[in-house]
Amino acid sequence: MKINWLPLAAAVAFAAGSVSASAVDFNGYFRAGAQLNAVGGEVYCVGNGNDGHKVGRLGDECDTYAEIALGQNVYDKAGSKFSVHTLVAYGTTEGYRDLQGNSWQGLGSDYELGETQDGIVIKTKNTPWNSQRLSFREAYAKYDTDAGYSIWSGKRFYRRKDIHILDLYYLNDSGYGAGIEGIDVGNGNLNFAVIKWANDGTADYNRNVYKLDARWDGINLGAFGALDTSVIYALPAISKQQKDAEAGPRANTANSGALITLDLGSNFGSTVNVSNHFIAQWGSNGFAYVGAFKNHAGDNYTPDVDANGVRLIDWGTLDWGSDFDLGYSFLWGHLNSGKNHGVEYSIVLRPEYKWTEYTRTTLELGYSEMKKTGWVADEKYGNPDLYKVTLAQQFTPGKGFWSRPAIRFYASYINGDQFSDGWNVQYRNKNHGSHSYQFTFGTQVEAWW
């Protein structure tokens, strides 16, 4: 028997009073562009979506990335509301080379094996047609209660915090889980969640880590601003068989660890309007790598023991009237984990002058240095540095620093030990020979809505 489900569903929804009159909530983000290496050959970038961009992201993005989010209220009655949320993302290769193809570059992976020896793959060809990424990054439902707090379950970006000009999420406990958020306590609100992270184990099993996330956000400190606090405690669920099977560094997978974040947000000034965030973070064991720049803290739980890391960040925007503004970021980190120890820092400034309502000129300056750390691939460089200068002409709908979409045309120069041939193979451009620099021209569109 064939059932016509549409009238039946409509009747049930009408009877329950659950039909929402609102349209689908459609929002998203994308970036895409083309680059030219002045000496020919490929364009290399020193940052990507996984690592952030330590000397700024402008002129240093070799990929295409997009997110399309759809949400819908499915029930709204007497102060109680249920909603569903989804987000699909696409990205070209996450490496450090421009492996974008042409308009036929597809979704998913066009994977191509490389050379083989005795039936074993010893090299994978890296072309514009493989390593494409397609992900269902959010799929969760939320119940907004009439008491003001919300209950959620599923897969989501959980209360992330980022520095836009670095494309770095300094707090990002996202993934599969459930929680309760928005509990009003008079001064701020409380939020609790449990989110799972699975690390690769053997061919037969994964190591699961369950992160207990507690946050007290929006604590009013008067003239000092508002403070957000976060404590994430990781509990590995490791079986005896997994413990017995592990060896070497991975034998530490059963160790728990903590990540503490204090984020003070302030707005002040009259002639110059300043929006500033000062962040202090500390992590232990699997969260110790908060002390390394390349870390979206709270996401991965790296197996480690007797390790700790500290990171200090100050970032924000300055607005001098209607024609000039400045984005800035200062980051300092210290990691102590066996041979991986030392200090790394980054400074990025992005001043802009707005010629009209729709045109602006942007300069981005970035500098970073490592101080005798175990991350350094070749000790002959001592304290390897990295710096970048990018000049861009942009077209945007309005004068605000955050106005998007932005259509950009830019020239960018990058140099330093961390980019030189021989220091790190991920940045090595064989077309440069012994060059330690790169000069590029490019165009890019960045949009969110």
Side-chain angles (χ1 to χ4, degrees):
M1 179 178 67
K2 182 178 180 181
I3 299 177
N4 191 337
W5 290 105
L6 185 59
L8 178 60
V12 172
F14 179 79
S18 62
V19 175
S20 172
S22 65
V24 172
D25 182 14
F26 171 57
N27 56 78
Y29 168 88
F30 65 77
R31 64 173 178 265
Q35 302 80 222
L36 168 67
N37 189 332
V39 298
E42 294 183 299
V43 172
Y44 279 59
C45 294
V46 297
N48 62 30
N50 285 339
D51 298 341
H53 300 257
K54 63 173 67 177
V55 287
R57 68 191 295 179
L58 192 62
D60 187 48
E61 293 182 304
C62 290
D63 65 335
T64 298
Y65 182 75
E67 295 177 349
I68 301 298
L70 298 174
Q72 176 68 60
N73 292 334
V74 296
Y75 182 95
D76 192 346
K77 182 178 180 181
S80 295
K81 182 169 67 176
F82 286 78
S83 57
V84 293
H85 306 267
T86 61
L87 186 148
V88 175
Y90 164 78
T92 54
T93 177
E94 59 187 13
Y96 296 89
R97 301 159 57 196
D98 179 4
L99 292 177
Q100 299 174 110
N102 57 25
S103 63
W104 279 101
Q105 190 164 15
L107 303 178
S109 176
D110 183 14
Y111 193 78
E112 182 178 4
L113 297 180
E115 303 169 14
T116 62
Q117 180 176 317
D118 298 327
I120 301 175
V121 177
I122 61 174
K123 182 179 179 182
T124 301
K125 292 183 180 179
N126 207 4
T127 76
W129 303 104
N130 65 15
S131 299
Q132 312 314 307
R133 298 167 293 154
L134 183 63
S135 176
F136 200 19
R137 302 199 71 182
E138 287 194 296
Y140 71 96
K142 186 166 67 168
Y143 165 35
D144 297 319
T145 71
D146 57 4
Y149 62 86
S150 302
I151 299 171
W152 68 273
S153 178
K155 179 184 184 183
R156 69 177 289 193
F157 292 153
Y158 183 65
R159 307 180 72 84
R160 302 188 303 174
K161 294 173 174 286
D162 76 306
I163 306 171
H164 172 70
I165 61 176
L166 303 184
D167 194 20
L168 175 71
Y169 286 90
Y170 58 89
L171 187 59
N172 182 20
D173 187 9
S174 297
Y176 294 92
I180 181 170
E181 57 187 344
I183 303 173
D184 189 352
V185 291
N187 189 0
N189 58 85
L190 299 179
N191 312 275
F192 302 97
V194 179
I195 296 176
K196 188 195 80 167
W197 181 72
N199 190 14
D200 60 308
T202 70
D204 300 319
Y205 48 74
N206 286 327
R207 296 182 296 271
N208 290 331
V209 178
Y210 295 85
K211 296 174 289 181
L212 312 181
D213 189 315
R215 307 192 190 191
W216 184 5
D217 292 341
I219 304 171
N220 189 348
L221 299 181
F224 294 100
L227 178 67
D228 292 348
T229 66
S230 168
V231 177
I232 304 175
Y233 191 75
L235 290 172
I238 308 299
S239 70
K240 184 179 184 303
Q241 178 185 3
Q242 288 174 310
K243 290 179 183 178
D244 294 341
E246 299 293 354
R250 292 186 178 274
N252 302 317
T253 55
N255 294 306
S256 59
L259 174 66
I260 299 174
T261 302
L262 303 178
D263 184 349
L264 178 62
S266 306
N267 291 278
F268 52 87
S270 54
T271 304
V272 179
N273 182 37
V274 180
S275 176
N276 185 79
H277 281 262
F278 177 76
I279 299 102
Q281 296 181 290
W282 174 85
S284 66
N285 293 342
F287 284 136
Y289 283 80
V290 69
F293 180 89
K294 299 178 180 182
N295 191 282
H296 299 301
D299 185 8
N300 295 337
Y301 189 76
T302 305
D304 213 331
V305 64
D306 296 331
N308 60 82
V310 177
R311 183 162 66 182
L312 301 177
I313 301 170
D314 193 79
W315 76 273
T317 59
L318 285 74
D319 188 351
W320 276 274
S322 60
D323 294 329
F324 180 77
D325 58 31
L326 170 71
Y328 60 89
S329 169
F330 307 96
L331 185 150
W332 176 93
H334 177 269
L335 171 64
N336 184 9
S337 173
K339 69 176 182 179
N340 296 320
H341 59 88
V343 172
E344 182 175 13
Y345 66 88
S346 161
I347 302 171
V348 177
L349 301 175
R350 185 190 285 190
E352 296 185 328
Y353 184 80
K354 297 124 180 208
W355 301 95
T356 71
E357 184 77 9
Y358 309 110
T359 62
R360 69 181 70 193
T361 300
T362 302
L363 176 67
E364 187 170 87
L365 307 171
Y367 181 80
S368 177
E369 186 178 43
M370 292 177 171
K371 309 286 281 188
K372 292 291 186 182
T373 72
W375 308 310
V376 178
D378 190 336
E379 290 295 336
K380 76 178 183 180
Y381 289 100
N383 300 327
D385 63 358
L386 179 70
Y387 55 92
K388 188 202 70 170
V389 179
T390 301
L391 181 65
Q393 184 64 30
Q394 301 195 77
F395 301 89
T396 61
K399 290 188 173 184
F401 184 85
W402 305 107
S403 296
R404 297 296 186 276
I407 299 173
R408 300 164 174 156
F409 300 90
Y410 65 84
S412 186
Y413 176 80
I414 191 165
N415 202 337
D417 297 329
Q418 294 184 42
F419 191 73
S420 64
D421 179 50
W423 182 79
N424 196 328
V425 69
Q426 68 188 9
Y427 303 151
R428 190 177 300 170
N429 189 336
K430 295 179 176 60
N431 298 290
H432 282 181
S434 60
H435 292 171
S436 63
Y437 65 88
Q438 179 177 260
F439 188 50
T440 58
F441 299 93
T443 179
Q444 185 194 53
V445 58
E446 181 185 49
W448 54 66
W449 66 96

